[in-house]
Amino acid sequence: MTASATDQRAYNFSAGPAVLPVPVLEEVRDELMCLPGAQSSLLEMSHRDKVFVDILHDAENSIRSLLGISDQYSVMFLQGGAALQFSMIPANLLRDSGKRAAYIQTGTWGKKAIAEAKKEGEVDIVYNAADSNFNHVPAAGDYQVADDAAYLYFCNNETIQGVQFQSEPECPQSVPLVCDASSDFLHRPLDINKYGILYACAQKNAGPAGVTVVVMRRDLLDVGSDSLPGYLNYKNHAEADSEWNTPPTFAIWVLGKVAKWLQNDIGGLAAMEKLNREKAALLYNAIDNSGGFYTGHAKADCRSLMNATFNLPNDDLQAAFLADAAKNNLISLKGHRSVGGIRASIYNAMPLQGAQALASFMTDFASKNA
Ligand SMILES: *Cc1c(COP(=O)(O)O)cnc(C)c1O
């Protein structure tokens, strides 16, 4: 008998697009040809069809319920990835504002966001971890933000370096806090009321590529100028319920299923966080107990629950590690070209067994090669 498609799947540690929950993929497979009761595939359906509009509202409501998002916030489903948010945020909140924007730079994605913001206005990099090769995040008191800054921007989890804020950075009450949560969206409960904007492309931790979720305090919707290109103005999307133009219907459909899986199968974000901590501890213990064979990139108190980054003693051992891992059904572990080494992404959908399998492989590989 040949193995089923599900059985052929390895444990996939890709940084993104990344692993999705198996029950979600199975549901998508079963419903792709014809959405139950709809007489057509979702792929063939108008985005204004009530069936799809209900799917969109369902996805929104699931996200609202998971994160406890009140009516004071708009939830939008946009295209253009996280990268377009690098531009849309300053185009709406900084351009012609007479203000300066504050940025915390703790890795590659923050750096790219800063480069785009500089095209729109004046930027202060209030904290920059570049000198230490982006291995940490600032502590309270390490930086200052002016009370009249347009906003304070940070990236909660730097996907490439594997460095994560453990809680929100300090920010003056008067300044909207703006967060790129692309690679750790929905990985733990958080107090959304601390944020002005929290956004995430879906393809790391929440769904397939093609949709970016933007959670935005409603008073900020009015800040953008009417002279902005229509797509770039948040107000248009909020007022049209994410149907200002055709939204990415497939990606929203799957994102909604992932949110339901988080609610019903996992049991909500507190349960998800517990599981994520358990998975991450397995990998970091394997690093720490290797007698120096593996060296972690991030400082211990800033280690990411989503992307564990580490190095081996030399390039030959690294190549052998990757080849052996693939033979053991552990794939996509190569680190980003800018950091090197190994990166194991253990997003929400990575089962505990996957982290266990990688941790025991690491321990075994170290004992054979140290
Ligand atoms: C992947 C990633 C991005 C870029 O996302 P795109 O959808 O490719 O634009 C931005 N920020 C973070 C933290 C990411 O992980």
Side-chain angles (χ1 to χ4, degrees):
M1 211 179 79
T2 51
S4 76
T6 306
D7 290 342
Q8 288 174 44
R9 291 166 56 82
Y11 288 122
N12 176 4
F13 298 91
S14 167
V19 61
L20 286 164
V22 167
V24 168
L25 291 174
E26 288 176 337
E27 234 178 73
V28 168
R29 177 197 60 199
D30 293 347
E31 296 177 0
L32 191 64
M33 188 58 76
C34 188
L35 203 59
Q39 296 178 293
S40 82
S41 171
L42 172 118
L43 298 179
E44 306 162 310
M45 182 182 290
S46 165
H47 59 293
R48 313 237 176 243
D49 191 309
K50 182 174 181 317
V51 174
F52 177 73
V53 173
D54 286 349
I55 285 172
L56 186 147
H57 286 154
D58 246 28
E60 174 181 340
N61 288 334
S62 298
I63 289 167
R64 282 187 183 276
S65 131
L66 283 166
L67 283 171
I69 301 172
S70 77
D71 273 352
Q72 280 182 300
Y73 287 79
S74 170
V75 176
M76 292 168 269
F77 298 114
L78 306 186
Q79 303 197 54
L84 186 59
Q85 296 309 306
F86 297 169
S87 300
M88 269 178 84
I89 289 161
N92 282 263
L93 271 63
L94 180 59
R95 190 189 289 189
D96 301 330
S97 68
K99 296 181 175 182
R100 303 173 68 86
Y103 277 73
I104 294 173
Q105 184 177 311
T106 54
T108 306
W109 293 115
K111 191 174 170 183
K112 286 180 189 263
I114 289 166
E116 296 304 318
K118 283 181 173 168
K119 298 175 185 172
E120 297 292 346
E122 300 292 329
V123 169
D124 293 317
I125 302 175
V126 295
Y127 190 85
N128 189 351
D131 288 348
S132 57
N133 199 14
F134 296 130
N135 70 352
H136 70 285
V137 302
D142 284 353
Y143 62 90
Q144 297 292 322
V145 179
D147 285 336
D148 62 350
Y151 55 85
L152 171 63
Y153 181 105
F154 75 110
C155 176
N156 200 60
N157 183 63
E158 280 287 357
T159 323
I160 289 172
Q161 284 79 16
V163 169
Q164 188 175 33
F165 280 83
Q166 309 298 303
S167 60
E168 290 79 9
E170 285 217 315
C171 180
Q173 197 76 44
S174 54
V175 175
L177 184 62
V178 176
C179 176
D180 176 0
S182 290
S183 51
D184 63 357
F185 188 52
L186 303 177
H187 89 293
R188 68 167 171 89
L190 52 79
D191 181 2
I192 198 75
N193 299 312
K194 292 181 175 162
Y195 296 82
I197 303 174
L198 181 134
Y199 75 90
C201 58
Q203 73 272 18
K204 305 325 185 6
N205 204 31
V211 64
T212 297
V213 183
V214 179
V215 183
M216 190 163 181
R217 218 173 62 207
R218 289 194 195 276
D219 60 292
L220 298 173
L221 291 168
D222 294 322
V223 180
S225 157
D226 287 338
S227 66
L228 281 170
Y231 194 91
L232 301 189
N233 194 328
Y234 288 112
K235 194 165 47 179
N236 288 334
H237 298 288
E239 282 176 355
D241 251 351
S242 298
E243 299 223 337
W244 187 76
N245 70 331
T246 313
T249 55
F250 177 78
I252 292 169
W253 184 49
V254 181
L255 173 73
K257 287 184 184 295
V258 173
K260 282 234 167 68
W261 168 82
L262 276 169
Q263 267 172 332
N264 302 333
D265 293 28
I266 298 294
L269 296 191
M272 190 71 255
E273 177 177 11
K274 185 162 170 286
L275 187 55
N276 282 331
R277 288 193 183 282
E278 223 177 307
K279 290 185 284 178
L282 286 166
L283 301 191
Y284 290 121
N285 285 338
I287 292 170
D288 293 341
N289 296 333
S290 70
F293 184 77
Y294 302 113
T295 48
H297 176 77
K299 282 192 180 169
D301 61 355
C302 314
R303 282 171 162 176
S304 168
L305 295 182
M306 302 278 103
N307 315 94
T309 48
F310 56 94
N311 276 278
L312 278 80
N314 60 56
D315 289 349
D316 288 346
L317 280 171
Q318 183 189 306
F321 180 98
L322 291 169
D324 274 13
K327 280 186 211 142
N328 285 277
N329 264 343
L330 306 165
I331 63 168
S332 298
L333 284 159
K334 198 171 187 328
H336 189 270
R337 57 193 182 279
S338 64
V339 175
I342 305 294
R343 171 172 50 170
S345 298
I346 45 172
Y347 296 120
N348 284 354
M350 173 58 65
L352 182 63
Q353 292 85 334
Q356 281 166 340
L358 177 57
S360 57
F361 170 79
M362 285 170 67
T363 303
D364 194 48
F365 187 87
S367 72
K368 283 182 186 146
N369 294 284

